[in-house]
Amino acid sequence: MGVPNNDEVANLPYRQPVAAEHSVLHLLRAPWLIPLLALALGARLYQLTAAAIWGDEGSSLLLAQFPLAGIWFHAAHDVHPPLYFMLLRAWIGLFGDSIESIRMMSAVPGVIGVFLGTWLAHLIASRRATMLTCLLLALLPTAVRYSQEIRMYSLMGVWLLGATLALVYWVRAPQRRRYLAIYALLMAAAFYTHYFSALCVLAHWAYLLVLRAPFAGAQRYIARRDWWLANGAIVLLFLPWLPGLIDLVLHMDALEVGGDVGWEPAVTLRSMPSMLWQLMAQDDAEGMPLWLLLTLPGVLAAMMVYVVCTDRSRYRFATLVVLYSALPLLVLYGVSFVSPVFIERYLTAPALGLAIILALGIDRLARRFKVLALALLLAVLAVEGVGLKNNYTVDADDQFNDLVAYMNRHTQAGDQVVLGDMFWYLTWGYYDQSATAPRLYTPPTAAGVSTRPNSYGFGTLIDENAGVYLDHLQDLPQGNGRVWLVMSREAPDEFPSIPSGWRKIDQHAGGDTQAVLYEACHVPCGTR
């Protein structure tokens, strides 16, 4: 008798453990695994340091500088939980804070996520589908992009894929409670990494509800005491963070004032297909004709329907993968008509499932329509190739670090620096070598209302009593009479009014940002 494939294993009697030929050790012996994981690593290391650190990344580095208690406090006033920043602090302590090192903190989880997705496919599908999953995940553009940023999104994918794996193991062998213990720990870690991990839990509950329909034995899953205890354990593990989260929700207006929430664009009917293009090709497709805009989303939707309709296995694991991806997409899209949160990086972890769905669909098509399956695979790889090209395209003249490097070379002792935007403040400290303490320009509105950040969002990273904020340029101390103003290049609205006694003596652009050096004369310039 031949070795059963995974679909056949899924139809074996209830409480059937994972067969030896589908164990993780068997996967590790696959000759193609290491080359494809090396491809995943190479995709994430290529151009890893090409783009300068931007504002969100700078906030990660600033927060990671605090001691653990400080991270806990300040993250409670920010829009993200503390775990990633604590791990980043530990990572920097071990490997240093070079840009290569700190971005590796995301690249490594990105490769682990590829392996976990491959492991999941290995458990639920054929060998061919498993290899295709590894290939498509290795090259998935959104996964590569957020494996190259100093943010928590690739780590979030590790926790959520790991938890989904634990769920699969438990469904196969519900008497083995250790799988639920692992599930609870991974989901708790996910909640301490990003609040939208709740959407994965929602997908898991939806899966168990779907699972109970086909056969009577499945009723045990959604109603099992162990399942409820595991979810209760997740809540208990998250309880220490709950007061901070409640306080944050109560001060949502403070976050809106600082621009930390409420900046997201409103969604339209084009937003969903545009998002799918962004995830798969790093292109929002806004300039595409309607027929082309709908092509890729149509293929993805058809693959989801096809995978679900052909999922006749006992445990419906392919349906689980579809729910893992589709439900967060649909929920965030629907919610965004009320409060916009439909942002690519928030969907990077669910997007990992898209590669698995495509691999499952192509594998099943290949059983009857080999030419069609091959054409679809080549088309998907072409789209991913375009996405990688877009991701790697970095304008060397549009980098904030070059602007700061110019200032480092031309700054003199006693020079003062005033930044016109909080995002530049978040990034400045990483690149500055002049030891110049910058100020953040916060002019009152015409009605006299302060524009200083409050203690929530990015404002929590700044000590209000440290003399960082500057409401009026005239309030600068005399110093050596030289002031650098960092502002937008195209529309420098940050400094609509320059004191009449100031004379521009230098200017350097870094893409859409510029540094302008003024001689701040306290007597008419040129009379000294």
Side-chain angles (χ1 to χ4, degrees):
M1 180 179 293
V3 176
N5 62 32
N6 280 15
D7 287 338
E8 291 169 341
V9 169
N11 284 299
L12 293 176
Y14 182 62
R15 294 190 176 185
Q16 174 68 36
V18 176
E21 63 271 16
H22 299 290
S23 69
V24 66
L25 292 178
H26 188 269
L27 172 62
L28 291 172
R29 290 194 291 267
W32 48 263
L33 179 65
I34 298 303
L36 288 182
L37 290 180
L39 176 64
L41 179 61
R44 286 150 181 80
L45 294 184
Y46 181 68
Q47 295 282 73
L48 182 66
T49 63
I53 290 171
W54 68 293
D56 277 11
E57 292 181 293
S59 72
S60 296
L61 295 174
L62 282 176
L63 192 47
Q65 291 177 8
F66 289 94
L68 294 182
I71 292 175
W72 184 275
F73 173 82
H74 289 289
H77 288 72
D78 195 11
V79 293
H80 297 299
L83 181 58
Y84 170 78
F85 308 110
M86 292 179 171
L87 294 176
L88 179 60
R89 174 183 172 80
W91 181 277
I92 291 173
L94 289 172
F95 304 110
D97 65 350
S98 69
I99 190 169
E100 294 87 353
S101 169
I102 52 183
R103 283 197 170 144
M104 282 293 290
M105 171 69 183
S106 295
V108 170
V111 177
I112 294 173
V114 173
F115 173 72
L116 292 176
T118 304
W119 185 357
L120 178 59
H122 177 69
L123 286 175
I124 70 175
S126 70
R127 295 175 180 87
R128 178 172 56 197
T130 303
M131 184 171 64
L132 289 175
T133 293
C134 195
L135 174 63
L136 297 181
L137 277 174
L139 302 176
L140 184 65
T142 191
V144 172
R145 174 178 178 179
Y146 290 102
S147 294
Q148 296 184 320
E149 285 202 357
I150 311 163
R151 296 297 279 171
M152 67 290 296
Y153 303 108
S154 66
L155 181 64
M156 179 184 176
V158 168
W159 302 138
L160 297 184
L161 281 177
T164 304
L165 267 169
L167 180 64
V168 167
Y169 273 95
W170 176 69
V171 167
R172 285 187 180 274
Q175 75 279 9
R176 297 182 179 176
R177 298 176 179 175
R178 65 178 180 270
Y179 297 137
L180 281 182
I182 294 171
Y183 176 85
L185 290 174
L186 290 170
M187 282 308 314
F191 274 105
Y192 275 102
T193 300
H194 200 283
Y195 296 122
F196 284 178
S197 299
L199 296 173
C200 182
V201 175
L202 181 65
H204 291 164
W205 277 84
Y207 161 69
L208 293 182
L209 285 171
V210 170
L211 185 60
R212 67 176 297 175
F215 61 99
Q219 294 178 11
R220 304 177 184 179
Y221 291 112
I222 195 69
R224 283 182 72 93
R225 178 172 171 268
D226 292 346
W227 172 247
W228 286 83
L229 287 175
N231 283 267
I234 297 170
V235 174
L236 288 175
L237 289 169
F238 194 68
L239 277 181
W241 187 250
L242 196 57
L245 177 58
I246 292 173
D247 179 72
L248 193 68
V249 172
L250 293 177
H251 290 87
M252 193 62 65
D253 57 337
L255 291 169
E256 292 177 355
V257 168
D260 297 275
V261 299
W263 56 268
E264 301 91 343
V267 297
T268 66
L269 293 179
R270 291 178 65 99
S271 296
M272 177 62 83
S274 175
M275 176 61 70
L276 293 173
W277 274 102
Q278 187 71 33
L279 294 170
M280 294 294 300
Q282 293 296 286
D283 186 334
D284 61 14
E286 288 299 328
M288 288 185 181
L290 183 61
W291 69 268
L292 184 57
L293 173 71
L294 297 178
T295 301
L296 176 62
V299 169
L300 289 171
M303 284 293 97
M304 289 182 182
V305 172
Y306 178 61
V307 166
V308 170
C309 290
T310 56
D311 184 12
R312 297 185 178 88
S313 62
R314 182 168 193 173
Y315 299 112
R316 307 289 297 275
F317 288 134
T319 301
L320 168 61
V321 176
V322 172
L323 288 170
Y324 172 88
S325 280
L327 196 59
L329 275 165
L330 293 172
V331 169
L332 285 189
Y333 179 59
V335 168
S336 292
F337 282 96
V338 178
S339 178
V341 286
F342 202 54
I343 305 299
E344 179 197 359
R345 54 185 176 271
Y346 300 162
L347 292 163
T348 298
L352 299 174
L354 295 177
I356 306 176
I357 292 165
L358 285 168
L360 294 176
I362 291 169
D363 173 63
R364 294 181 182 185
L365 275 177
R367 298 173 189 176
R368 297 180 60 187
F369 309 102
K370 287 184 170 57
V371 174
L372 177 60
L374 179 60
L376 179 57
L377 174 60
L378 293 176
V380 171
L381 289 174
V383 170
E384 289 194 333
V386 171
L388 292 175
K389 179 179 181 296
N390 291 337
N391 186 63
Y392 295 143
T393 301
V394 175
D395 185 353
D397 296 324
D398 188 18
Q399 301 301 310
F400 187 74
N401 59 314
D402 292 337
L403 180 145
V404 182
Y406 178 87
M407 295 174 64
N408 286 333
R409 292 192 301 270
H410 294 85
T411 296
Q412 299 178 8
D415 281 8
Q416 300 182 78
V417 176
V418 183
L419 308 175
D421 189 277
M422 170 67 85
F423 261 47
W424 301 327
Y425 179 87
L426 297 173
T427 310
W428 170 271
Y430 182 78
Y431 291 112
D432 177 48
Q433 298 175 358
S434 67
T436 301
R439 288 179 169 85
L440 180 61
Y441 189 50
T442 53
T445 66
V449 179
S450 174
T451 60
R452 292 186 177 188
N454 52 56
S455 58
Y456 286 84
F458 291 143
T460 191
L461 301 173
I462 301 177
D463 182 356
E464 188 175 356
N465 300 315
V468 173
Y469 299 128
L470 179 71
D471 293 346
H472 304 282
L473 292 177
Q474 294 87 344
D475 294 340
L476 277 171
Q478 182 171 349
N480 68 355
R482 288 164 44 102
V483 181
W484 294 89
L485 300 184
V486 179
M487 65 186 78
S488 300
R489 183 183 181 188
E490 301 299 330
D493 298 330
E494 299 89 351
F495 301 97
S497 172
I498 304 296
S500 58
W502 288 23
R503 178 168 62 92
K504 183 190 301 184
I505 58 176
D506 194 8
Q507 184 174 0
H508 183 78
D512 61 357
T513 311
Q514 61 180 340
V516 183
L517 177 61
Y518 286 89
E519 184 180 13
C521 305
H522 294 272
V523 295
C525 293
T527 64
R528 293 179 293 177

